[in-house]
Amino acid sequence: IASTGPAVEQGGSVISHGGPSLRAASGAAVFARRKDYAQLGLDYFPQFSTDLQTWTNSVATPAVIAADADVEILSVPLPAAAPGQSRFFRILVTQP
């Protein structure tokens, strides 16, 4: 599945596949996950950082906000940060 730009959803439907993105206004991080991830033995871990050096796994369970035949768009709440503190987001995908 190609990934170009942020994942976009509207009304529960995926209108564009894409990479992870932060939505600071809604306080969420959004990412796409293959629907067949379990059959492929993939694990997805949303991670956050304030310095791009130390990454912490999200403790929240991602919520599916849209889906199509191939992917699900998931949302996970942003962790609290100090005022003016930078926040970065990535998805770690592993195959144990």
Side-chain angles (χ1 to χ4, degrees):
I1 297 172
S3 176
T4 57
V8 179
E9 86 291 333
Q10 183 174 9
S13 298
V14 177
I15 57 175
S16 174
H17 294 184
S21 64
L22 288 175
R23 296 186 181 171
S26 65
V30 176
F31 64 99
R33 176 177 69 190
R34 296 176 61 116
K35 280 188 148 179
D36 61 354
Y37 75 97
Q39 294 89 343
L40 296 173
L42 300 174
D43 290 320
Y44 287 68
F45 299 97
Q47 297 183 324
F48 295 94
S49 175
T50 57
D51 60 10
L52 293 174
Q53 301 297 315
T54 304
W55 291 89
T56 304
N57 287 344
S58 174
V59 296
T61 301
V64 176
I65 57 174
D68 69 11
D70 299 317
V71 300
E72 299 171 316
I73 306 296
L74 295 103
S75 175
V76 63
L78 297 177
Q85 186 176 40
S86 296
R87 289 189 278 190
F88 302 94
F89 170 61
R90 72 179 183 187
I91 299 296
L92 174 65
V93 181
T94 62
Q95 191 172 30

